[in-house]
Amino acid sequence: MLKKIKEQAKTTVTELLNVAKLEKGDIFVVGCSSSEVIGSKLGTASSYDVAKAVFDGIYPVLKERGIYIASQCCEHINRALVIERELADLLRLQRVNAIPQIKAGGSFSTVTYESLERPCMVENISAQAGMDIGGVLIGMHLQQTAVPVRLSLDHIGEAILICARTRPKFVGGVRAVYDESLL
């Protein structure tokens, strides 16, 4: 089961990155309910091993492309995010003091915190794309104009998968001309 979950995560992140056209230095937010992945109700059956399988499918693909991961925690720590300290410093983000745990932050964020080189926590981020695994509501951490993306898989394990990329806002009026490559 864990091998299949890892492969599903790798397949979906690869597909989404190809559609979203992210560049080195962009941010990819992930919200993941390991409970939902194994077919249980959100927050009822957190699994470190399942979260690790999802992380191991996603993170190497992001790292290889130079894309930062932002792991959204659960509502018990106000959906704060685990990111690399390098990214927080680069964006001059205010850090918050929390260390995610399986029952307060979630298994995926716990795995992320333990896996990053210099993890830290922030309250907000403005990501260019993301994956919502299990209906954990990542939208607040995406840039303003989010575009749903349908992939070849719509689940990881038993969890519904909702993906999005973002695009620049259209500004101007009837005389405005837009860059087609940014759509």
Side-chain angles (χ1 to χ4, degrees), residues 36-157:
E36 291 277 338
V37 172
I38 60 174
S40 295
K41 185 179 172 191
L42 186 74
T44 62
S46 294
S47 169
Y48 184 93
D49 292 336
V50 168
K52 180 94 169 93
V54 174
F55 181 86
D56 288 346
I58 293 172
Y59 187 65
V61 176
L62 296 176
K63 189 164 183 163
E64 179 182 304
R65 297 184 188 205
I67 296 168
Y68 290 102
I69 191 169
S71 174
Q72 177 183 281
C73 296
C74 73
E75 73 276 9
H76 294 102
I77 50 178
N78 300 322
R79 301 200 192 289
L81 301 127
V82 179
I83 63 172
E84 283 285 5
R85 172 76 184 267
E86 174 186 11
L87 179 59
D89 292 347
L90 180 70
L91 298 178
R92 305 187 80 122
L93 298 174
Q94 182 176 348
R95 291 184 293 138
V96 295
N97 190 357
I99 297 172
Q101 306 296 305
I102 291 173
K103 294 290 186 183
S107 295
F108 187 82
S109 291
T110 300
V111 169
T112 304
Y113 195 91
E114 292 173 356
S115 300
L116 296 183
E117 290 178 33
R118 292 182 59 215
C120 72
M121 300 284 292
V122 297
E123 283 188 292
N124 302 297
I125 205 92
S126 185
Q128 287 75 32
M131 299 175 73
D132 183 323
I133 305 166
V136 295
L137 306 175
I138 63 165
M140 68 187 80
H141 297 302
L142 292 171
Q143 290 180 345
Q144 286 188 347
T145 309
V147 179
V149 177
R150 305 288 182 247
L151 305 174
S152 65
L153 299 174
D154 61 3
H155 282 75
I156 292 181

Side-chain angles (χ1 to χ4, degrees), residues 155-168:
H155 282 75
I156 292 181
E158 299 296 316
I160 187 108
L161 174 65
I162 301 170
C163 296
R165 66 175 179 85
T166 61
R167 64 161 176 77

